[in-house]
Amino acid sequence: MGASNGAAALEVTGLEAFYGKSQVVFGVGFSVNHGEIVTLLGRNGAGKTSTLGAITGVVTSKATGLRVDGHDVRHLPSFKRSRSGIAMVPSGSRAFPNLTVHENLSMVRGQGSREGWGIDDAYDFFPKLGELKDSQGGQLSGGERQMLAIARAMVARPTVLMLDEPSEGLAPLIVAHIGKLLRQLANDGLAVLLTEQNHRLALAIADRACFIEKGEIAWSGSAKDARSDEVIHRYLAV
Ligand SMILES: Nc1ncnc2c1ncn2[C@@H]1O[C@H](COP(=O)(O)OP(=O)(O)O)[C@@H](O)[C@H]1O
Ligand SMILES: [Mg+2]
């Protein structure tokens, strides 16, 4: 999953998103490099989920540029964007409750021919899922379901892994553990883009941050600079 041509893993410019005639994202631009975690922060309703949806292709959008590893994906429908390397872990858990962990992972295997994770790699990386491989998705705890959702996304062999509010509804210890796992995946070369209400977790593991306000990027910079009280207060205080 390393950089093949020196391009950013994900490059977004001039992104606009629409629900019918209502525009909710206005000219958003940012990039995520291989090995990097970028977090998209902002108040409720700012446009974080819509931005991710525009990138995966499930929300109507226009962009002056949308590139994965340098390849223009704007013309691709959603399922082809996922084959081209964009993986999404939506908020809440989407594992199939009546399938076992192993069946959940097997379903996404072998789409396309990208190099990367197999199911055994998923069990190596998440030993807990290996122990639970015959358990049904619906029997897992919130943290285990989140790991399964991430493992499912990784088995699809993405260039960029996008997660919408991965800490939602999880206990602090589990959140810290998942944060550590995401950092480890990035250190192995994955590009990670995550939205969070939990800015502490996000800024603790991210390299860079973008604050979105009313559908526009209002601030972007290093995660370190974003941790300043002034920035947090300006863009997140209600
Ligand atoms: N399915 C939808 N139909 C119409 N408007 C929507 C829909 N989903 C979100 N919106 C609107 O788009 C704006 C951005 O929402 P969203 O992207 O969900 O924000 P965030 O994820 O930052 O909380 C909000 O004004 C919200 O009301
Ligand atoms: Mg959201």
Side-chain angles (χ1 to χ4, degrees):
M1 58 180 88
S4 44
N5 53 13
L10 175 69
E11 187 173 20
V12 179
T13 54
L15 183 73
E16 306 183 339
F18 305 84
Y19 296 102
K21 285 184 178 154
S22 147
Q23 182 170 358
V24 298
V25 171
F26 303 85
V28 159
F30 58 86
S31 63
V32 189
N33 294 311
H34 292 272
E36 195 177 45
I37 300 182
V38 173
T39 183
L40 198 55
L41 302 172
R43 296 183 184 94
N44 206 7
K48 303 179 295 295
T49 299
S50 303
T51 297
L52 298 186
I55 295 169
T56 61
V58 299
V59 172
T60 305
S61 69
K62 278 191 229 165
T64 54
L66 181 56
R67 292 179 181 274
V68 176
D69 262 338
H71 301 291
D72 188 356
V73 300
R74 282 176 298 177
H75 60 291
L76 298 178
S78 188
F79 77 98
K80 286 199 177 158
R81 288 188 192 182
S82 82
R83 279 187 203 163
S84 79
I86 298 174
M88 176 76 185
V89 176
S91 62
S93 164
R94 294 292 171 88
F96 291 93
N98 298 324
L99 297 183
T100 66
V101 165
H102 197 74
E103 287 164 343
N104 265 286
L105 292 173
S106 306
M107 284 185 65
V108 281
R109 263 230 64 199
Q111 295 175 351
S113 57
R114 303 176 61 81
E115 287 178 19
W117 276 39
I119 294 180
D120 289 340
D121 298 307
Y123 293 147
D124 283 346
F125 193 78
F126 298 104
K128 188 81 203 178
L129 292 183
E131 292 166 28
L132 292 167
K133 73 205 261 281
D134 297 318
S135 305
Q136 300 216 308
Q139 296 169 336
L140 305 185
S141 71
E144 290 158 359
R145 278 205 305 273
Q146 189 62 275
M147 283 185 226
L148 177 57
I150 296 170
R152 277 171 54 96
M154 288 304 297
V155 169
R157 305 174 172 185
T159 299
V160 51
L161 176 66
M162 307 199 300
L163 305 99
D164 197 8
E165 312 268 359
S167 77
E168 199 185 8
L170 299 182
L173 264 179
I174 308 291
V175 169
H177 180 61
I178 286 177
K180 213 185 277 177
L181 294 171
L182 291 175
R183 189 63 253 178
Q184 214 172 314
L185 290 171
N187 292 349
D188 287 344
L190 186 70
V192 178
L193 174 63
L194 79 152
T195 77
E196 265 299 342
Q197 300 274 354
N198 182 345
H199 62 87
R200 260 175 249 288
L201 159 85
L203 292 175
I205 63 169
D207 299 290
R208 289 188 296 122
C210 302
F211 287 85
I212 186 166
E213 201 170 51
K214 296 184 182 144
E216 295 184 61
I217 301 285
W219 187 96
S220 58
S222 71
K224 183 168 173 285
D225 290 344
R227 280 181 219 124
S228 86
D229 289 344
E230 198 186 324
V231 174
I232 303 248
H233 188 263
R234 168 96 172 69
Y235 299 108
L236 294 182
V238 277

